[in-house]
Amino acid sequence: MIIAIDGPAASGKGTLSKQLAAHYRLPHLDTGLLYRGVALAMTIARQPLEDAALAEAAARNLKLDDLSDPRLRSAEMGGAASIVAAIPAVRAALLDFQRAFANQPAGAVLDGRDIGTVVAPHADAKLFVTATAEERARRRVRELRGRGAHADEAQILADIQARDARDGARSVAPLKAAPDARLLDTTNLDIDAAFRAAVALIDGA
Ligand SMILES: Nc1ncnc2c1ncn2[C@@H]1O[C@H](COP(=O)(O)OP(=O)(O)O)[C@@H](O)[C@H]1O
Ligand SMILES: Nc1ccn([C@@H]2O[C@H](COP(=O)(O)OP(=O)(O)O)[C@@H](O)[C@H]2O)c(=O)n1
């Protein structure tokens, strides 16, 4: 079974995908890490994030080992990822790996922005996970503070809104629900309730 989970920043995709992967005993890929990995490699090399040729090269050189770097999880890297993610050659360079992961015989859970629309349009179940921008900002602030990082709620909200706008407006694989995706609004659901709602949608699909 292939499960595609898409949605905007801090909607709970990653949390839900990990729970679903454990529940259905499937491997999981957080595809946002790939774009964060490209952005981190370019930042370390002091390269401009908008340079399409350098960004494509960074995407082609990305190694799985690079994806465990804790610096990938910072708020800055989320914004930087959405800049490189708007470059079509970067998306093309990362596509085969994601498709191969989705199509492995065991099946898989993938989360990102374009899983149900581009990476695995034939997925058995597609969820589009949302929550209001204010609630998503609160969640991200709690998460960052929990890790001991500084987090200003107004700034995080502005970053999330800017990222939603950039991800929704880009020409290639913009953030949008696949026509056959089921919507899951988690604004008023805690982590456990969101998981139960997701399983009900998937098992009923
Ligand atoms: N339904 C929920 N209610 C409250 N907090 C949540 C919920 N889902 C996720 N979270 C928390 O919100 C933060 C962002 O979740 P995450 O799964 O990383 O989102 P995404 O992968 O969409 O960016 C995490 O700290 C997570 O623990
Ligand atoms: N499948 C994907 C996954 C992420 N991305 C980009 O990568 C950025 C970071 O994604 P992420 O999933 O790690 O971010 P969060 O939702 O966890 O904040 C997003 O803002 C998108 O621009 C994408 O374009 N396509």
Side-chain angles (χ1 to χ4, degrees), residues 7-16 36 111 113 135 139-140 142-143 186 189-192 194:
S11 55
K13 305 176 299 293
T15 304
L16 190 57
R36 286 172 184 260
D111 74 279
R113 301 292 186 290
E135 172 61 17
R139 291 177 185 175
R140 194 57 21 112
R142 268 200 304 271
E143 175 187 336
T186 69
L189 301 178
D190 66 15
I191 289 179
D192 210 48

Side-chain angles (χ1 to χ4, degrees), residues 30 41 56 58-59 79 108 115 126 138 141 147 152 163 165 168 176-178 186 189 197:
D30 171 357
E56 180 185 2
I115 309 304
K126 301 182 185 179
R138 274 192 292 276
V141 165
R147 291 209 301 259
D152 173 76
R163 195 133 68 89
K176 67 165 195 274
T186 69
L189 301 178

